[in-house]
Amino acid sequence: PHLRTFSDDFQTCKVEGAWPLIHNKYLSVQVTNTPVVPGSSATATSKLTIIFKNFQECVDQKMYHAETDELPAAFADGSKNGGDRHGANTLRIVEKVPGQQVEIHARYIGTTIVVRQVGRYLTFAVRMPEEVVNSVEDRDNQDLYLCLHGCPANQRIDFRTFRARAVEGHGLSRTGSPPHGFTYKAAMAKCKERLPVEDLYFQSCVFDLLSSGDVNFTMAAYYAFEDVKMLHSNKDKYHIYEKDAFGSNAAPR
Amino acid sequence: CKILKCNSEFWASTSSSGPEEEFCTALRAYNNCVRRTARTCRGDLAYHSAQHGIEDLMSQNNCSKEGPTTQPRARTPAPPPQLQPDSQERSDGPEQCHYERSLHRQSSPPNYTHCGFFGD
């Protein structure tokens, strides 16, 4: 999957299996990623678990769990808010599109989460105050939390190498057609329909179409960017671009 | 199992003697607190003692099970610096349950960050 970290790093990762995204004093988020195409290192999210921890007079501990084709508009215990404490309504679940989009508002920690199912896979986006992000319980064990530090180096997929191969046609099968139905040009054209700016959301869309052939990933990238527009606090940073060999951002084409 | 926290909150809220209604109110809050621990405290002696103790105290003091509850404040854990509780409560919950509202008196507004995870 593609990851935009709290510090606006953009990475494409393997991270097959269960991985933690966030873990701090107030909540934990974990995802499970499964291969999209057998034999490929590209995976996508099929399960997501969020645990909101018990907090003062506000909320009981609540767990939210979603899986492919099961995006509930309630916590695991069937409730839609933070329990029966005085501030219980400062944690609530709102169903935006049945089976497709859920928002979780945790006002007691200034946090908003958007969970979507796009095609067969889940997407996750969060807006969280820095203070909450940094309220870690054990600084020594924070390396693996993807939203905070990104993916470990051995889990990253190099966008540029993958793209260069696609452009050169290394991915073609014996018949000369691309293995999953999209040529590089066709993937570019398809992604352009939804993502006119050639930023990393556009690039990730192209990557996904080439690696999976699943056109739904166009919408995953599109909605991920819609979530950025809703949740990111700095309009100037909505779009992010590929860094060049010297580490600075490439100019938008 | 956090039954001891319920016990200490109850004793803190009843440490000063007050009218009987206040005791019933605190007792109901205690009962709610104990009920919330039911899953994690199953089989815990202190939990089962508390359950029976509450029933006894309720009947001894003629407290009804339905009615207002208080949330004892004296011994709740200290919040992080910018989440300081406020004694003023609003209809939709105590001030400390509203992150932004509790920051109004802070000098600088909070910085928000974003994380996204999508695609393949």
Side-chain angles (χ1 to χ4, degrees), chain A residues 2 26 56 58 130-131 147, chain B residues 80 96-97 99 111 113 115 118:
Chain A
H2 309 286
Y26 307 102
Q56 296 184 8
C58 312
E130 253 175 20
E131 181 202 8
C147 279
Chain B
Q96 73 200 70
C97 299
Y99 183 78
N111 290 324
T113 58
C115 174
F118 68 97

Side-chain angles (χ1 to χ4, degrees), chain A residues 31-226:
Chain A
V31 288
T32 302
N33 307 307
T34 47
V36 173
V37 177
S40 162
S41 59
T43 68
T45 302
S46 54
K47 290 183 193 177
L48 172 85
T49 303
I50 306 171
I51 295 170
F52 296 90
K53 298 179 189 175
N54 161 44
F55 181 72
Q56 296 184 8
E57 297 172 32
C58 312
V59 298
D60 298 335
Q61 177 161 308
K62 291 281 171 174
M63 183 178 85
Y64 179 78
H65 183 77
E67 295 190 19
T68 298
D69 294 336
E70 200 182 325
L71 191 73
F75 294 108
D77 63 4
S79 65
K80 285 173 173 278
N81 74 357
D84 53 8
R85 300 189 192 186
H86 286 186
N89 286 329
T90 57
L91 173 62
R92 58 193 183 90
I93 295 190
V94 180
E95 184 171 55
K96 301 299 269 190
V97 183
Q100 289 176 41
Q101 186 188 351
V102 161
E103 281 180 18
I104 305 176
H105 298 273
R107 269 190 296 158
Y108 65 104
I109 47 171
T111 296
T112 305
I113 292 173
V114 180
V115 182
R116 297 176 187 266
Q117 179 172 334
V118 188
R120 302 286 304 150
Y121 300 101
L122 305 175
T123 72
F124 169 84
V126 64
R127 170 187 169 90
M128 189 180 280
E130 253 175 20
E131 181 202 8
V132 174
V133 169
N134 294 321
S135 69
V136 294
E137 287 181 312
D138 181 358
R139 289 211 168 262
D140 294 337
N141 275 331
Q142 287 298 313
D143 289 352
L144 276 180
Y145 300 114
L146 306 185
C147 279
L148 198 57
H149 291 301
C151 300
N154 65 0
Q155 294 293 320
R156 293 185 198 175
I157 296 174
D158 184 356
F159 236 53
R160 270 174 288 203
T161 307
F162 181 86
R163 188 176 48 216
R165 284 187 177 181
V167 173
E168 289 164 14
H170 281 267
L172 298 184
S173 66
R174 262 183 268 168
T175 58
S177 60
H180 305 306
F182 275 98
T183 63
Y184 184 65
K185 265 190 175 177
M188 295 261 290
K190 190 72 201 165
C191 292
K192 201 92 185 195
E193 288 173 12
R194 286 282 175 178
L195 298 154
V197 178
E198 289 192 22
D199 61 358
L200 282 169
Y201 289 89
F202 171 84
Q203 302 288 357
S204 69
C205 170
V206 174
F207 175 96
D208 289 358
L209 293 191
L210 291 172
S211 58
S212 71
D214 183 350
V215 77
N216 285 310
F217 283 116
T218 314
M219 296 310 289
Y222 169 76
Y223 284 124
F225 189 67
E226 289 298 298

Side-chain angles (χ1 to χ4, degrees), chain B residues 29-111:
Chain B
Y30 185 26
N31 193 34
N32 286 349
C33 183
V34 170
R35 271 175 28 213
R36 283 198 295 268
T37 68
R39 201 189 303 170
T40 49
C41 291
R42 189 174 296 158
D44 184 285
L45 190 59
Y47 164 75
H48 292 287
S49 306
Q51 256 194 332
H52 289 297
I54 290 168
E55 273 178 32
D56 289 346
L57 285 170
M58 278 194 158
S59 75
Q60 280 167 25
N61 292 278
N62 291 324
C63 301
S64 76
K65 285 193 173 172
E66 303 301 320
T69 57
T70 54
Q71 292 284 332
R73 293 176 162 276
R75 299 195 188 175
T76 49
Q82 292 192 344
L83 296 174
Q84 289 300 333
D86 190 311
S87 59
Q88 185 191 4
E89 289 187 11
R90 303 196 187 191
S91 59
D92 52 349
E95 189 92 351
Q96 73 200 70
C97 299
H98 296 267
Y99 183 78
E100 290 185 352
R101 212 185 277 170
S102 71
L103 296 176
H104 280 174
R105 277 159 250 125
Q106 302 290 325
S107 52
S108 56
N111 290 324

